[in-house]
Amino acid sequence: QVQVAESGGGLVQAGGSLRLSCAASGLTTSRRAMGWFRQAPGKEREFVAGISRSGSSTAYADSVKDRFTISRDNAKNTVYLQMNSLEREDTAVYYCAASFGYGPTPTTLDRVEHWGQGTQVTVSA
């Protein structure tokens, strides 16, 4: 059974940092491009960051570029999202996403095969 589990969310003041982790079981992440999406109340789920199977290529939404960094450790089947200079607009539930096997980096919802349950990130003033 495939499980994708996020951790590391919480409450942080604006300007602060958080590091999210995504641990996968039941699948080999080295065969999957991975990504992070987020969904704020009343808004649609949106792409945040993505990383290729090897980790050599990354992609970011314009709103988080130069503030967030995605990385992966295939030996640990884990993907990370380092979030710096957090803004109130970053408040959302963050979801880890696994692509279809050997598929492209998940930058859109239709490229995602497996989702995590989400972790809440709240940025206060």
Side-chain angles (χ1 to χ4, degrees):
Q1 182 179 358
V2 174
Q3 288 189 327
V4 178
E6 306 93 339
S7 61
L11 175 63
V12 63
Q13 286 189 324
S17 298
L18 278 176
R19 187 195 197 202
L20 304 183
S21 298
C22 170
S25 61
L27 60 83
T28 305
T29 56
S30 60
R31 299 176 185 172
R32 312 257 181 171
M34 301 290 292
W36 290 93
F37 289 71
R38 68 186 181 187
Q39 187 166 17
K43 295 188 176 181
E44 294 186 348
R45 192 170 298 189
E46 64 176 5
F47 167 74
V48 175
I51 189 166
S52 62
R53 293 191 301 276
S54 66
S56 61
S57 177
T58 57
Y60 297 94
D62 288 343
S63 59
V64 306
K65 202 172 293 183
D66 298 326
R67 298 189 298 122
F68 290 11
T69 302
I70 188 170
S71 61
R72 66 190 299 160
D73 185 338
N74 286 340
K76 296 181 178 180
N77 256 15
T78 302
V79 178
Y80 306 96
L81 185 67
Q82 178 67 44
M83 305 186 294
N84 299 328
S85 302
L86 282 161
E87 304 169 352
R88 294 193 68 183
E89 292 74 22
D90 296 317
T91 294
V93 177
Y94 283 71
Y95 296 91
C96 183
S99 72
F100 293 89
Y102 298 104
T105 299
T107 56
T108 54
L109 300 179
D110 61 353
R111 290 183 174 182
V112 177
E113 181 174 15
H114 299 289
W115 292 98
Q117 81 288 351
T119 185
Q120 177 70 45
V121 171
T122 303
V123 183
S124 63

